[in-house]
Amino acid sequence: MITIITGASYTGKTALAERLMIRTRTPYLSIDSLKAGLINSGVMSVDENDPVQVQSFIWPIVKEMIKDAIDKDQDLIVEGRYVPELWVVDFDDSYLQHIRYTCLVMSEGYIINNFESIKEHANLMQKREVKDLDEDALIAENEKYLEICEDNLYPYKYIDGDYIIDIDSLLM
């Protein structure tokens, strides 16, 4: 089974993927790590701060890695924000039946009430420098992901009260 975990920045995708990896003993692919490798090796020469450019370069690679894992009957967790809105059109039904998808979305209220905590946890998994995290931009990005999920009937985990994501619910 392939598990795709996506969502806005700072929603805990990597932490969730790691918890799921430990629980299921399934390897995971961080799209951010793949991006860093491609940029640092000089293979990818796009503006790394432009998510549209990064997605258009990296998604075809990730998509084929997913198909390869399914063809080889391997399990894989794929996490990152560079999953296109209409990702399902890249897979026929024979592949889709092997893919579980979830999107992490924080509510506006959650972000407002927990913004300092979000900033404190922002580099917990990826050790990234967080200087200019903007509350309004984070709210807008999460609203965009919520709209994508609702418009396309994609499953999502809505983080509104306590930050609790039940791993068992991802395995169903």
Side-chain angles (χ1 to χ4, degrees):
M1 182 63 65
I2 306 300
T3 303
I4 297 175
I5 302 171
T6 193
S9 302
Y10 309 106
T11 53
K13 298 176 297 294
T14 304
L16 179 59
E18 187 165 297
R19 287 179 42 221
L20 190 59
M21 175 192 70
I22 292 167
R23 170 79 180 277
T24 63
R25 297 178 186 221
T26 300
Y28 86 89
L29 167 68
S30 165
I31 299 174
D32 280 340
S33 292
L34 178 59
K35 176 185 89 169
L38 291 169
I39 288 172
N40 294 337
S41 68
V43 172
M44 186 168 88
S45 59
V46 300
D47 178 0
E48 69 180 285
N49 297 312
D50 182 339
V52 174
Q53 282 187 31
V54 173
Q55 180 181 303
S56 66
F57 187 95
I58 211 162
W59 177 249
I61 297 166
V62 172
K63 171 186 71 172
E64 293 306 320
M65 292 174 77
I66 290 170
K67 288 179 177 180
D68 184 60
I70 293 169
D71 290 342
K72 293 177 179 172
D73 198 26
Q74 296 171 333
D75 295 332
L76 180 64
I77 300 163
V78 176
E79 68 84 16
R81 68 182 192 133
Y82 301 107
V83 177
E85 178 176 344
L86 297 176
W87 66 273
V88 294
V89 301
D90 291 326
F91 302 97
D92 62 34
D93 287 341
S94 67
Y95 287 109
L96 287 173
Q97 66 185 346
H98 298 280
I99 299 173
R100 262 190 309 245
Y101 171 98
T102 196
C103 182
L104 303 183
V105 179
M106 293 181 192
S107 72
E108 178 178 357
Y110 181 86
I111 294 168
I112 291 169
N113 293 329
N114 297 282
F115 189 67
E116 290 306 313
S117 178
I118 292 167
K119 286 195 319 191
E120 288 173 22
H121 290 92
N123 69 355
L124 187 65
M125 296 302 296
Q126 296 182 348
K127 310 299 183 226
R128 57 188 165 188
E129 188 175 338
V130 181
K131 297 183 286 188
D132 53 356
L133 181 58
D134 178 80
E135 187 174 327
D136 291 331
L138 190 58
I139 290 168
E141 186 180 3
N142 276 272
E143 288 174 350
K144 178 187 129 202
Y145 275 93
L146 179 60
E147 183 179 317
I148 288 169
C149 290
E150 289 180 340
D151 288 351
N152 294 289
L153 304 176
Y154 295 152
Y156 61 94
K157 302 298 178 190
Y158 194 63
I159 302 156
D160 189 34
D162 291 334
Y163 190 105
I164 299 172
I165 297 178
D166 178 19
I167 287 182
D168 289 333
S169 69
L170 294 176
L171 301 175
M172 300 172 118

